[in-house]
Amino acid sequence: MTDRYNIHSQLEHLQSKYIGTGHADTSKWEWLVNQHRDSYCSYMGHFDLLNYFAIAENESKARVRFNLMEKMLQPCGPPADKPEDA
């Protein structure tokens, strides 16, 4: 019983500390946005991967970095309309 409570407490602590870990009320759209943004940040942070994208797209590294930053604004499009609770 103590182990179960301890694991649950640790999970709640991680969810409150890091946005990307999600929580019980995280929607599919929010989870996908976090995944896409994490991926784009990783691409920009790894210099060799950024070089690879620049060569593959025949663009400068600065243009590729700019495009990735632009994609981070709404990577999965606008959020879906939530049904109003009556």
Side-chain angles (χ1 to χ4, degrees), residues 6-75:
N6 191 17
I7 291 171
H8 185 66
S9 176
Q10 289 175 356
L11 183 60
E12 284 181 349
H13 176 70
L14 282 174
Q15 290 170 345
S16 67
K17 190 174 180 182
Y18 301 108
I19 296 172
T21 55
H23 50 79
D25 297 328
T26 301
S27 68
K28 180 179 178 181
W29 182 83
E30 291 172 334
W31 185 80
L32 284 172
V33 166
N34 285 333
Q35 292 297 314
H36 279 82
R37 286 184 178 156
D38 287 346
S39 296
Y40 293 146
C41 285
S42 177
Y43 300 155
M44 287 190 296
H46 290 89
F47 186 72
D48 292 334
L49 198 52
L50 192 66
N51 285 339
Y52 176 78
F53 287 151
I55 291 171
E57 294 177 5
N58 196 24
E59 294 281 351
S60 68
K61 291 181 278 188
R63 173 57 64 180
V64 171
R65 183 176 284 121
F66 176 78
N67 289 340
L68 289 173
M69 289 289 285
E70 286 288 316
K71 288 180 185 179
M72 286 177 66
L73 292 176
Q74 280 192 338

